[in-house]
């Protein structure tokens, strides 16, 4: 069931989106070599609460932290802990916050220190593929137009798109219909309508698109151990066109 949002509801989501967007900028300034992923989580949790928001990830399906922190071959859902962030790593940070019952969800992949050219390109293509996707997010297009735009851009750059994890509708719940795959056929899927709010989130790999979940039950890693990048925003289709709520 897809819940289209009214302008009033989208305004509420704008507030959650702002906390999430500001938090990612704050974390980008703070992240550095030698820090543990748990320290990043604590900074984020404090930031969210200071802004009168609720961390949406904490206890979601038993998830034990307020952010996900996924390094190099970790695709998503890395659990913050004692791991120390090292020079040359790429760190995907995924955050979610609830304001007044409405959700925001976004992720960035940060470059830490001296990162290889290949990983830098991966991170850049992940972000750019998101923009290829939202260029198709308009009334009258279909969901598959977004998916296809992301996939063709990523594969055209020699990288692969994760299949087993997808973006999603978002609103009062973090995960609502529809699923938003980062692969698919142009012209397929549901018609895009005013009031649709999605989390569009390409997860892309240097090597194989295949991934698996580690024994901790959360951390998703690439099958071949090569690096992965993630870029996500909550986006709304409003009366004035496309709006990114989490910049
Ligand atoms: N941002 C993630 C997503 O888009 C959700 C984090 S998973 C959680 O699906 F369980 F940690 F919340
Ligand atoms: Co999401």
């Amino acid at each position: 069931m897809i819940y289209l949002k009214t302008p009033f509801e989208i305004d509420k989501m704008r507030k959650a989106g702002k906390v999430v967007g500001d938090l990612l900028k704050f974390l980008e300034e703070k992240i550095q070599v030698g820090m543990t992923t748990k320290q990043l989580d604590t900074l984020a949790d404090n930031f969210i609460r200071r802004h009168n928001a609720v961390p949406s990830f904490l206890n979601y399906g038993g998830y034990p932290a307020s952010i996900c922190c996924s390094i190099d071959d970790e695709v998503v859902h890395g659990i913050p802990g004692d791991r120390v962030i090292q020079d040359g790593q790429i760190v995907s940070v995924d955050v979610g916050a609830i304001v007044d019952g409405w959700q925001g969800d976004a992720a960035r992949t940060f470059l830490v220190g001296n990162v290889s050219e290949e990983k830098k390109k991966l991170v850049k293509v992940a972000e750019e593929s998101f923009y290829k996707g939202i260029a198709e997010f308009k009334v009258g297009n279909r969901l598959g137009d977004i998916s296809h735009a992301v996939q063709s851009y990523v594969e055209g750059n020699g990288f692969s798109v994760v299949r087993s994890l997808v973006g999603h509708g978002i609103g009062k719940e973090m995960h609502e219909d529809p699923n938003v795959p980062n692969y698919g056929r142009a012209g397929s899927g549901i018609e895009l309508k005013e009031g649709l709010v999605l989390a569009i989130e390409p997860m892309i790999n240097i090597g194989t698109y295949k991934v698996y979940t580690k024994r901790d039950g959360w951390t998703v890693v690439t099958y071949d151990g090569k690096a992965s990048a993630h870029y996500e925003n909550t986006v709304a289709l409003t009366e004035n066109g496309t709006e990114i709520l989490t910049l």
Side-chain angles (χ1 to χ4, degrees):
M1 169 84 186
I2 294 172
Y3 299 102
L4 298 176
K5 278 77 182 178
T6 65
F8 179 76
E9 291 170 335
I10 290 175
D11 196 48
K12 297 237 176 200
M13 295 193 73
R14 225 172 248 130
K15 296 192 173 72
K18 173 144 175 57
V19 173
V20 163
D22 288 348
L23 170 57
L24 285 168
K25 283 184 216 140
F26 172 74
L27 294 177
E28 183 169 24
E29 283 169 21
K30 293 289 175 190
I31 193 168
Q32 56 177 314
V33 174
M35 201 176 201
T36 68
T37 52
K38 178 69 200 169
Q39 283 175 303
L40 214 54
D41 182 63
T42 302
L43 285 171
D45 186 270
N46 290 340
F47 184 102
I48 292 168
R49 294 175 199 279
R50 238 185 4 257
H51 289 79
N52 300 314
V54 175
S56 54
F57 294 3
L58 187 61
N59 299 321
Y60 184 89
Y63 187 74
S66 295
I67 66 172
C68 301
C69 209
S70 310
I71 300 177
D72 286 343
D73 64 313
E74 297 174 347
V75 180
V76 288
H77 303 167
I79 303 171
D82 295 336
R83 187 163 179 194
V84 176
I85 295 168
Q86 313 275 358
D87 183 66
Q89 289 179 333
I90 58 171
V91 182
S92 303
V93 176
D94 192 344
V95 308
I98 306 168
V99 175
D100 236 346
W102 293 89
Q103 304 257 349
D105 182 7
R108 305 281 179 267
T109 299
F110 300 130
L111 307 175
V112 180
N114 227 331
V115 174
S116 73
E117 289 307 315
E118 189 180 44
K119 286 201 277 186
K120 271 191 203 160
K121 183 182 171 198
L122 181 75
V123 170
K124 185 161 164 270
V125 169
E127 177 171 350
E128 287 169 348
S129 70
F130 164 84
Y131 282 97
K132 296 292 176 190
I134 55 159
E136 302 297 326
F137 187 42
K138 49 191 179 196
V139 172
N141 268 11
R142 288 178 182 271
L143 195 65
D145 295 325
I146 299 174
S147 306
H148 177 260
V150 171
Q151 180 179 23
S152 52
Y153 186 73
V154 171
E155 292 179 353
N157 277 280
F159 298 130
S160 68
V161 159
V162 173
R163 308 280 200 275
S164 59
L165 298 151
V166 297
H168 48 92
I170 179 169
K172 278 183 158 312
E173 302 295 330
M174 175 159 55
H175 294 132
E176 296 183 357
D177 287 339
N179 279 341
V180 184
N182 295 301
Y183 58 92
R185 233 164 6 92
S188 70
I190 60 152
E191 235 181 85
L192 305 178
K193 296 197 170 124
E194 197 177 302
L196 193 58
V197 184
L198 304 176
I200 299 180
E201 51 175 320
M203 290 152 274
I204 76 168
N205 299 347
I206 286 179
T208 179
Y209 70 83
K210 288 190 182 158
V211 301
Y212 67 92
T213 304
K214 288 179 75 167
R215 296 280 298 271
D216 64 15
W218 285 101
T219 315
V220 177
V221 294
T222 59
Y223 206 79
D224 58 11
K226 294 187 180 170
S228 181
H230 185 199
Y231 187 90
E232 172 181 26
N233 281 303
T234 300
V235 299
L237 202 44
T238 76
E239 51 203 342
N240 303 314
T242 303
E243 184 176 336
I244 303 176
L245 303 180
T246 48
L247 279 186

